[in-house]
């Protein structure tokens, strides 16, 4: 059930509806929008009676939600969600006019490596730095990340360069530690249906970057996001990172058609990861261009200062000068769609 408030409804009207929902033993989720506020209801075992709400002051209508997901749905919130990352003032809005450009190595490997990566991606116009301190690896013998030492290095880099930090949390206990350092909590593809982790990040104050599972349908992907919102964290950023198919010319098949599909069904922003999506360095820039053209709200890209000796995902990591080239090309395409990057038009003209 979705309660649509009238445009003239007051805060008091919204609060009254929320109290009513709580008194029934359910949870209200008010979602303010540009035109009107809508209130989602979770926890109800079955359909509710619209008249229970439609008689309250300020309520325009109470409508059943037609999709299995509720809070992530455009039916609940018509406007695109813009997710604020970082401190209250400053920080960065994901889903706004400026594309979110997140770049950095697959994993934090050393002080020297992460500082060099940060310096190069910052200079090229990334606003957020990626880098795993905890790595979910296919092999238990592969490099698992530096752990808390890696998080501390990321915090130092944030102080030095002003980049916001996107880093992965791999299980609910680990989240206690990672959320002390991260600006955005990444939930990796392998954990997209780790429901206890989804509930844990749903109780965090930090925004969540949720990557699509290796073989997740769109509905499964949105239902995973729904877990996070249902716990009260509405700051979810989706990420398409390729799915497994029969194709062997790339590591995964980057499903760019999911971007317009998500945009029509959900208000959440969606980014594209062309690095894991292709697995090959030479395919990253073309797919990054396509991702922006199809309407992605930004990119998360692996960039390594010494990619040929990376401890993980080196073959798909861009060299720093390639990331600069990616920024140049993506900035031109973004302009066609009325979007921007950190590059000013003058900076772009100087590079062309
Ligand atoms: C990563 O971002 O380094 C990563 C492991 O991604 P994914 O979960 O998409 O495989
Ligand atoms: Mn990686």
């Amino acid at each position: 059930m979705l309660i649509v408030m009238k445009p003239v409804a007051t805060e008091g009207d919204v609060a009254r509806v929320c109290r009513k929902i709580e008194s029934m033993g359910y949870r209200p989720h008010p979602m303010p929008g540009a035109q009107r506020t809508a209130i989602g209801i979770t926890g109800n075992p079955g359909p509710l009676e619209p008249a229970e709400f439609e008689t309250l002051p300020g309520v325009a209508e109470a409508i059943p939600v037609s999709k299995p997901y509720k809070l992530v749905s455009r039916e609940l919130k018509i406007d695109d969600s813009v997710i604020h990352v970082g401190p209250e003032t400053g920080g960065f809005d994901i889903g706004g006019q400026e594309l979110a450009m997140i770049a950095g190595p697959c994993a934090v490997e050393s002080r020297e490596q992460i500082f060099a990566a940060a310096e190069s991606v910052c200079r090229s116009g990334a606003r957020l730095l990626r880098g795993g301190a905890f790595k979910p690896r296919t092999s238990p013998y592969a490099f698992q990340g530096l752990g808390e030492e890696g998080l501390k290095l990321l915090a130092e880099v944030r102080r030095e360069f002003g980049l916001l930090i996107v880093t992965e949390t791999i299980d609910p206990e680990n989240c206690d530690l990672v959320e002390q350092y991260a600006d955005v909590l990444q939930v990796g593809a392998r954990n997209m249906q780790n429901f206890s982790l989804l509930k844990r990040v749903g109780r965090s104050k930090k925004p969540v970057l949720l990557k699509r599972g290796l073989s997740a349908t769109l509905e499964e992907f949105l239902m995973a996001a729904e877990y996070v919102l249902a716990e009260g964290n509405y700051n979810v950023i989706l990420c398409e990172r390729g799915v497994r198919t029969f194709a062997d010319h790339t590591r995964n098949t980057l499903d760019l058609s999911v971007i317009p599909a998500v945009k029509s069904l959900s208000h959440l922003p969606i980014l594209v990861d062309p690095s894991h999506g292709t697995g090959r360095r030479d395919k990253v820039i073309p797919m990054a261009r396509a991702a922006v053209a199809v309407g992605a709200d930004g990119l998360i890209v692996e960039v390594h200062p010494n990619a040929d000796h990376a401890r993980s995902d080196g073959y798909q990591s861009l060299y720093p000068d390639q990331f600069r080239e990616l920024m140049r090309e993506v900035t031109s395409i973004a302009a066609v769609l009325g979007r921007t990057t950190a590059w000013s038009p003058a900076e772009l003209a100087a590079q062309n």
Side-chain angles (χ1 to χ4, degrees):
M1 173 77 59
L2 157 63
I3 316 292
V4 181
M5 302 301 291
K6 293 179 180 156
V8 295
T10 63
E11 278 180 24
D13 293 337
V14 173
R16 190 178 303 104
V17 175
C18 291
R19 280 200 301 277
K20 162 96 180 163
I21 295 165
E22 279 161 358
S23 73
M24 298 165 87
Y26 312 137
R27 183 164 179 177
H29 299 267
M31 299 264 177
Q35 308 296 329
R36 44 98 163 147
T37 292
I39 306 169
I41 305 175
T42 56
N44 50 313
L48 300 172
E49 177 50 59
E52 290 247 38
F53 302 97
E54 284 175 344
T55 47
L56 295 175
V59 174
E61 55 178 339
I63 44 181
V65 179
S66 63
K67 300 286 189 306
Y69 37 84
K70 306 177 181 188
L71 305 176
V72 306
S73 164
R74 270 230 193 259
E75 290 178 85
L76 178 62
K77 187 165 183 279
I78 298 163
D79 324 290
D80 291 338
S81 282
V82 176
I83 311 294
H84 185 74
V85 177
E88 290 295 312
T89 51
F92 187 81
D93 287 334
I94 297 185
Q97 189 187 26
E98 182 177 330
L99 297 175
M101 300 302 292
I102 308 173
C106 180
V108 182
E109 298 171 4
S110 66
R111 164 185 290 272
E112 190 190 12
Q113 174 249 16
I114 197 65
F115 271 72
E119 198 270 328
S120 77
V121 302
C122 187
R123 201 159 17 88
S124 293
R127 302 263 200 212
L128 301 97
L129 179 76
R130 58 149 295 144
F134 294 92
K135 297 301 301 177
R137 303 301 301 281
T138 303
S139 164
Y141 310 118
F143 176 55
Q144 306 282 314
L146 295 182
E148 187 167 9
E149 185 194 334
L151 296 175
K152 288 187 171 149
L153 290 172
L154 289 169
E156 272 190 51
V157 162
R158 174 176 39 216
R159 279 198 296 278
E160 175 85 14
F161 297 96
L163 290 161
L164 296 158
I165 303 298
V166 181
T167 195
E168 183 159 356
T169 174
I170 52 174
D171 59 48
E173 300 75 51
N174 167 265
C175 189
D176 296 344
L177 181 66
V178 175
E179 72 181 348
Q180 292 173 35
Y181 295 91
D183 294 300
V184 177
L185 296 166
Q186 176 173 324
V187 173
R190 288 156 194 80
N191 271 320
M192 190 205 80
Q193 285 188 318
N194 178 341
F195 299 113
S196 47
L197 179 59
L198 296 175
K199 288 183 192 169
R200 174 62 186 81
V201 297
R203 293 192 295 274
S204 177
K205 297 269 178 290
K206 298 285 170 76
V208 175
L209 177 72
L210 178 64
K211 299 187 94 177
R212 181 178 179 186
L214 304 177
S215 61
T217 64
L218 174 52
E219 187 169 306
E220 289 163 343
F221 190 18
L222 294 176
M223 288 302 252
E226 184 80 14
Y227 265 89
V228 183
L229 274 78
E231 292 294 326
N233 187 350
Y234 306 132
N235 297 319
V236 174
I237 305 136
L238 302 170
C239 180
E240 161 61 30
R241 48 78 72 205
V243 288
R244 191 156 288 177
T245 68
F246 53 82
D248 59 5
H249 61 286
T250 52
R251 179 177 174 187
N252 293 297
T253 296
L254 190 62
D255 177 15
L256 290 181
S257 68
V258 88
I259 307 300
V262 163
K263 291 276 170 203
S264 72
L265 294 174
S266 177
H267 54 88
L268 297 175
I270 180 160
L271 309 182
V272 167
D273 174 346
S275 307
H276 294 87
T278 63
R280 312 275 167 96
R281 182 179 301 124
D282 62 328
K283 312 274 188 304
V284 171
I285 294 181
M287 295 313 279
R289 290 196 301 256
V292 169
V294 84
D297 294 297
L299 300 170
I300 176 165
V301 184
E302 287 186 340
V303 181
H304 196 293
N306 193 1
D308 297 324
H309 295 98
R311 295 189 74 180
S312 59
D313 286 352
Y315 37 83
Q316 68 191 31
S317 298
L318 295 184
Y319 302 121
D321 58 341
Q322 288 181 303
F323 179 64
R324 187 163 188 82
E325 175 60 17
L326 179 152
M327 284 293 296
R328 189 183 72 80
E329 297 183 16
V330 156
T331 303
S332 301
I333 293 169
V336 176
L337 299 165
R339 301 195 80 166
T340 59
T341 69
W343 285 30
S344 65
E347 197 172 351
L348 180 62
Q351 290 289 323
N352 279 331

